[in-house]
Amino acid sequence: MNTTPVKIVETVLRDGHQSLAATRMRITDMVPVLEELDDMGYYALEAWGGATFDACLRFLDEDPWERLRTLKKHLPKTPIQMLLRGQNILGYSHYADDVVKEFVKRSVDNGVSIIRIFDALNDTRNMECSMRAAKEAGAHVQGAFVYTISPYHKDEDFLKVAQELVQMGADSICIKDMAGLLSPYNAEKLVRTLKSQLTVPIDIHTHFTSGMGDMTYLKAIEAGVDMIDTALSPFAQSTGQPSTEAIVATLQGQPRDTGIELTRLHKAADYFRGVKTQLVKDFGLNDNIPIDPKVLTFQIPGGMLSNLLNQMKEMGSADKYPELLEEMPRVRAELGYPPLVTPTSQIVGSMAALNVTLGRYKMIPNEVKDLVRGKYGRTPAPIDPEVKKLAIGDEPQIDHRPADDIAPQMESLKAKLAAAGYPNADIDDVLSYALFPDVALAYFKKHR
């Protein structure tokens, strides 16, 4: 019998508010409760990466690097975990290797201990550079594969990706189920498959979008999963993770009891309830995001549905929204069944919206052409030949690692910043500028 306590990765400081509050939680909202969280007995606190970097600069008038240093100062015991999009770092396109290496090094220097690295297409070539850099910087490298459903995604396919990541040096593996598609019995089967072939710990990350999250975790725990991602209840469920308190209560007195005190979790949750109320007031957020089991049919993450509806309204074709829902899976199949996660979800979504508004493939955005060219990496399935012809004609698809075509960027970034009036910018500012040039310059204008 497995009596190893289940380890909890608390996501309230990153994915919790990214999923339920448009990533608007400020460092001032976090500081009063950090010591309490540090003392809770969590395996890790996911507190950086994902959309937090962009949101700090763009919406919160915060320096993301300063946020990380503040977090580290108040969290001396519990590892800080971040989410990194492989060669995309935290942006939406590939960066040169020198930028990736420097970003990873600075993240660790400033306080990150665990880096979860994934690629939208599960193309491990796009994870090589960041994984190597994280190992060299002394971080725990968690290799993640994106879970999705298609004729080209079976347990043995996911196992193959996981095995590649372990060979590349991953210290643990994460099943990243960004849309809540992983059903309980499939989770049990997938975890058993991975545990039978791998010796590194397995983490599971899901969203409550379809309403199955708790059951999925329970079956994964029964199958021997080592870590699970949960969020304190005010920032849990709907499109976020399952609730920390509910899972901890479920396991109390059972063989895999987490050992975390429920009363302390309730106290921290009460604090975050106040934070959420304030964020809703300050930023006019939607405080009632329902679960949507339709995600299992359309496989479109909840947050993306609302974005697509807005996009349709802007194009004056909101009445075609039902057609869009049918077009999305069709476009996804034609574009090689990419998992729908940043940036592929936006690419497939925009193409589907244009198709139902203007006619199929009458207008093809550059991002779609780049996906077809292979600039984002290998798609799980071949691209439909007719769509390929419409998008890039007879142009060849690349079959090498896309970043091999990108020349080093650090020196030119420093030169551009100098030309913009910041000749003595420190390395963290150069990296902020690399990821979000216009947004970073607006921030520097105000603060430097």
Side-chain angles (χ1 to χ4, degrees):
M1 184 193 281
N2 187 347
T3 56
T4 315
V6 174
K7 296 184 174 85
I8 302 281
V9 178
E10 175 58 64
T11 68
V12 71
L13 302 176
R14 204 284 297 177
D15 204 356
H17 69 102
Q18 181 171 320
S19 296
L20 270 76
T23 329
R24 295 299 195 272
M25 200 188 290
R26 301 157 288 215
I27 188 65
T28 48
D29 300 318
M30 301 175 188
V31 166
V33 78
L34 291 178
E35 270 92 357
E36 181 65 28
L37 296 178
D38 194 35
D39 215 30
M40 203 73 82
Y42 289 124
Y43 169 72
L45 285 157
E46 194 202 43
W48 213 58
T52 61
F53 197 97
D54 187 3
C56 278
L57 289 165
R58 195 182 299 267
F59 303 117
L60 304 177
D61 199 32
E62 266 186 52
D63 182 340
W65 298 102
E66 195 49 51
R67 171 183 288 202
L68 177 55
R69 288 188 284 271
T70 304
L71 287 164
K72 185 61 189 164
K73 195 168 79 190
H74 293 279
L75 300 169
K77 292 190 292 201
T78 310
I80 295 172
Q81 181 170 310
M82 79 170 287
L83 180 68
L84 188 88
R85 299 176 189 142
Q87 206 71 28
N88 288 7
I89 310 181
L90 301 175
Y92 307 103
S93 56
H94 285 180
Y95 295 88
D97 287 349
D98 62 339
V99 180
V100 174
K101 286 175 192 162
E102 199 58 63
F103 190 92
V104 169
K105 182 181 181 302
R106 290 304 299 150
S107 300
V108 176
D109 287 351
N110 278 300
V112 170
S113 302
I114 302 171
I115 305 185
R116 176 178 293 168
I117 300 171
F118 79 98
D119 174 68
L121 295 174
N122 288 330
D123 186 339
T124 54
R125 299 172 306 173
N126 294 333
M127 299 162 72
E128 279 170 17
C129 178
S130 47
M131 284 179 69
R132 199 177 307 120
K135 291 296 271 189
E136 283 169 12
H140 172 110
V141 178
Q142 185 171 87
F145 62 79
V146 178
Y147 180 83
T148 189
I149 302 167
S150 89
Y152 290 85
H153 291 91
K154 299 186 174 63
D155 284 1
E156 47 273 29
D157 302 312
F158 294 125
L159 172 64
K160 188 170 162 284
V161 176
Q163 285 170 325
E164 279 177 34
L165 294 173
V166 171
Q167 278 162 5
M168 287 159 64
D171 300 298
S172 61
I173 291 294
C174 174
I175 303 165
K176 181 175 165 56
D177 173 28
M178 69 287 165
L181 300 175
L182 184 53
S183 67
Y185 290 102
N186 285 343
E188 179 181 35
K189 195 166 141 285
L190 179 56
V191 171
R192 286 200 199 285
T193 300
L194 295 173
K195 292 296 283 181
S196 71
Q197 300 296 317
L198 304 173
T199 53
V200 300
I202 309 295
D203 193 336
I204 187 168
H205 171 97
T206 195
H207 288 249
F208 214 84
T209 320
S210 62
M212 298 190 295
D214 288 339
M215 297 182 285
T216 294
Y217 275 177
L218 196 54
K219 294 308 284 182
I221 288 164
E222 287 172 2
V225 87
D226 301 276
M227 291 92 86
I228 55 171
D229 289 18
T230 63
L232 285 164
S233 54
F235 289 95
Q237 294 181 310
S238 72
T239 50
Q241 276 74 57
S243 140
T244 308
E245 303 97 296
I247 295 283
V248 166
T250 301
L251 297 174
Q252 262 188 339
Q254 299 307 310
R256 302 202 63 196
D257 192 328
T258 64
I260 294 173
E261 262 179 69
L262 207 47
T263 48
R264 298 183 67 179
L265 290 175
H266 291 322
K267 194 177 152 204
D270 288 342
Y271 171 79
F272 280 111
R273 205 159 285 115
V275 168
K276 190 180 184 191
T277 304
Q278 196 59 47
L279 293 184
V280 168
K281 209 181 291 176
D282 292 349
F283 295 105
L285 303 171
N286 175 10
D287 191 24
N288 183 26
I289 308 167
I291 63 163
D292 187 6
K294 279 206 302 287
V295 73
L296 297 168
T297 310
F298 302 121
Q299 301 192 20
I300 307 167
M304 193 184 160
L305 282 170
S306 51
N307 285 341
L308 283 171
L309 185 54
N310 285 340
Q311 212 173 323
M312 299 291 281
K313 279 179 187 160
E314 281 165 21
M315 292 196 278
S317 54
D319 57 316
K320 293 190 168 156
Y321 187 63
E323 290 169 51
L324 173 80
L325 293 181
E326 285 172 28
E327 181 66 1
M328 278 283 298
R330 204 176 299 141
V331 170
R332 181 175 176 241
E334 289 163 345
L335 292 178
Y337 285 106
L340 296 179
V341 65
T342 303
T344 46
S345 52
Q346 288 84 342
I347 294 169
V348 172
S350 298
M351 191 66 258
L354 288 167
N355 278 0
V356 298
T357 308
L358 306 173
R360 300 201 85 230
Y361 297 103
K362 291 283 184 263
M363 183 189 156
I364 302 178
N366 285 333
E367 289 80 4
V368 174
K369 291 176 181 175
D370 282 346
L371 181 71
V372 174
R373 279 184 188 109
K375 279 197 168 186
Y376 288 93
R378 267 189 302 252
T379 52
I383 307 267
D384 180 288
E386 281 176 39
V387 171
K388 177 177 174 275
K389 193 144 194 65
L390 287 170
I392 61 168
D394 295 325
E395 205 185 306
Q397 290 172 302
I398 67 168
D399 57 5
H400 51 266
R401 187 182 76 111
D404 289 343
D405 294 336
I406 308 172
Q409 293 170 320
M410 282 304 287
E411 290 312 313
S412 65
L413 288 163
K414 288 175 191 168
K416 279 182 193 163
L417 256 186
Y422 302 98
N424 302 315
D426 70 17
I427 196 75
D428 293 346
D429 280 354
V430 175
L431 291 164
S432 297
Y433 174 73
L435 266 58
F436 304 105
D438 299 340
V439 180
L441 280 178
Y443 179 85
F444 299 156
K445 207 169 180 178
K446 205 168 163 185
H447 295 279
R448 298 288 182 260

